Amino acid sequence: MMLSRTSRLNLGLGACLSCGLATAAADAPSVHVYNWYDYIGATTLKDFQRDTGIQPVYDTFDSGEVLEAKLMTGRSGYDVVVASNFILPALIKAGALQKLDRSQLPNLKHLDPVLLEKIRANDPDNQYAIPYLWGTDGLGYNVDKVKAALGSDAPVNSWDLLFKEENLAKLSQCGVALLDAPAEVMPIALHYLGLSPNSSNPDDYKKAQALLLKLRPYITYFDSSKIQSDLSNGDICLALTWSGTVFGAKQAADQAGKGVKVEYSIPIEGAPLWIDNLVLVKDSQHPAEGLTFINYMLRPEVTAAATDLALTANANKDATALASAEVRNSPNIYPSAEVIAKLFTLQPQPHAIERVRTRAWSNITSGR
């Protein structure tokens, strides 16, 4: 995951596209797609229909938990969805996804083998998932406000900025936000404590809970949808969030021209790497059209358009050169090999541990 990566587009965009495309001839072949609401090029759906004659019926979501629940219950009505790497094992185990007929996906040749290898941790034989866009969890911050609170030597490149109580106490005066995402925040806390981010030891979660409860009085809110706007407006000065969210906030702040300086850092201790993937739903009513859509999304120019819009790296080795220089040259969007080596992927946990984590998160967010 995961929850939404950025919120640069109005939620209504997906709905409007869906409504507009639904007016196409009723007898036209169709494909039903469920995606994050900012994860496709501005003209891609229209271009796809023009080029293939297939009508895309497109819906959007901003919560990975919503997506997972919809697929787990079955009969979602979708053919292709975009699923984050850490929920893939559960979906595969539940039989919610189809194995992909790779002979129908000639554009697989464009995929980056490094990202294909990374996703093997969640899709062992690369049978179900096609890596699409990827990024990191890290720290988004207001340059001037953090400097005012902590001085010019503020540890903006370290998790100490967030997890050291003396730092957070000062930053609380200008606003601190965390993703409302226990499956991501709890592993980061575990990692900071020197424990496995994918621990299956209940005692480890007690330690992570204790750390976060100590910090709870200084956290303004837990939310996954308003961090971008609050960062760009200067309403908060620190956020644990997704990379794309911060890049969107920075772009919005720069365009507003009000002097709000937003930056992003991948902490030197390491951070989660998430990969969002194109998958084919098991009970798809239009599997052939679904494969056609996936293959179309693998066109370098199509992937590049999504990268530029989402301000997020892609897994298409031939698309990066087509992306804007601003995106492809950003070390936070496309980190160095040294930084990538410290990134870790998240794994689903047994139900017993999920319950422990859920209870811990409830205690943390409520301050109990």
Side-chain angles (χ1 to χ4, degrees):
M1 120 160 83
M2 292 198 171
L3 305 178
S4 62
R5 303 301 181 205
T6 68
S7 53
R8 298 178 61 253
L9 294 183
N10 185 281
L11 277 170
L13 175 57
C16 290
L17 285 169
S18 182
C19 292
L21 291 169
T23 60
D27 58 350
S30 64
V31 61
H32 294 245
V33 181
Y34 201 35
N35 192 6
W36 300 104
Y37 57 76
D38 52 2
Y39 252 36
I40 197 166
T43 66
T44 296
L45 294 173
K46 292 180 180 179
D47 294 344
F48 171 77
Q49 184 164 353
R50 178 199 64 207
D51 293 350
T52 67
I54 298 170
Q55 172 194 338
V57 180
Y58 189 81
D59 292 325
T60 60
F61 60 89
D62 66 352
S63 165
E65 285 81 2
V66 169
L67 168 66
E68 184 176 6
K70 191 176 287 285
L71 293 185
M72 286 295 196
T73 56
R75 302 193 178 202
S76 66
Y78 295 108
D79 303 302
V80 176
V81 302
V82 176
S84 298
N85 58 299
F86 82 104
I87 68 170
L88 288 175
L91 295 177
I92 292 169
K93 184 177 180 180
L97 306 180
Q98 287 192 38
K99 289 184 179 180
L100 297 169
D101 182 351
R102 302 176 82 82
S103 69
Q104 301 301 308
L105 301 171
N107 285 332
L108 286 175
K109 63 186 179 183
H110 299 298
L111 286 178
D112 184 341
V114 173
L115 270 297
L116 276 173
E117 187 61 33
K118 287 279 188 184
I119 202 64
R120 279 181 177 272
N122 304 103
D123 177 18
D125 298 315
N126 294 131
Q127 295 185 89
Y128 295 91
I130 303 298
Y132 176 46
L133 300 180
W134 66 275
T136 56
D137 288 11
L139 297 172
Y141 61 97
N142 182 304
V143 175
D144 294 330
K145 289 188 176 183
V146 168
K147 183 178 180 180
L150 300 177
S152 57
D153 59 347
V156 294
N157 66 339
S158 170
W159 287 118
D160 284 346
L161 187 69
L162 173 67
F163 289 116
K164 279 200 171 181
E165 186 176 5
E166 59 266 34
N167 291 333
L168 203 64
K170 295 176 182 178
L171 292 171
S172 66
Q173 302 303 309
C174 52
V176 176
L178 270 65
L179 290 171
D180 188 8
E184 296 174 70
V185 179
M186 294 291 280
I188 292 171
L190 289 169
H191 180 70
Y192 181 75
L193 292 169
L195 303 168
S196 169
N198 294 304
S199 175
S200 295
N201 184 346
D203 290 337
D204 289 346
Y205 288 91
K206 293 179 182 178
K207 296 173 184 176
Q209 177 179 323
L211 171 64
L212 290 167
L213 277 175
K214 183 175 68 172
L215 302 175
R216 180 64 184 91
Y218 311 113
I219 298 170
T220 309
Y221 63 77
F222 296 84
D223 190 271
S224 301
S225 61
K226 65 177 184 174
I227 287 176
Q228 178 173 311
S229 60
D230 284 353
L231 268 178
S232 65
N233 293 330
D235 294 333
I236 57 175
C237 61
L238 177 64
L240 189 169
T241 188
W242 304 297
S243 50
T245 294
V246 184
F247 303 140
K250 176 178 173 59
Q251 185 179 72
D254 291 347
Q255 291 174 349
K258 295 181 180 179
V260 177
K261 298 177 184 177
V262 176
E263 291 295 347
Y264 177 75
S265 73
I266 302 171
I268 57 175
E269 298 90 350
L273 162 72
W274 47 261
I275 305 171
D276 288 327
N277 306 270
L278 294 154
V279 297
L280 190 63
V281 179
K282 180 67 172 181
D283 57 5
S284 165
Q285 298 300 300
H286 314 93
E289 290 81 2
L291 287 169
T292 299
F293 183 81
I294 292 174
N295 193 59
Y296 189 88
M297 294 300 293
L298 289 171
R299 292 186 183 183
E301 67 276 13
V302 173
T303 303
T307 288
D308 281 346
L309 190 62
L311 300 177
T312 301
N314 66 68
N316 189 316
K317 62 183 174 60
D318 298 317
T320 302
L322 303 179
S324 68
E326 175 190 6
V327 170
R328 69 174 183 267
N329 294 331
S330 169
N332 282 324
I333 297 179
Y334 283 97
S336 67
E338 180 182 5
V339 173
I340 290 176
K342 293 184 178 182
L343 301 179
F344 52 87
T345 55
L346 301 179
Q347 304 289 334
Q349 295 299 316
H351 289 304
I353 296 299
E354 290 285 4
R355 287 196 295 271
V356 168
R357 186 163 65 185
T358 299
R359 283 197 300 270
W361 190 249
S362 177
N363 292 338
I364 293 161
T365 55
S366 64
R368 294 199 300 267

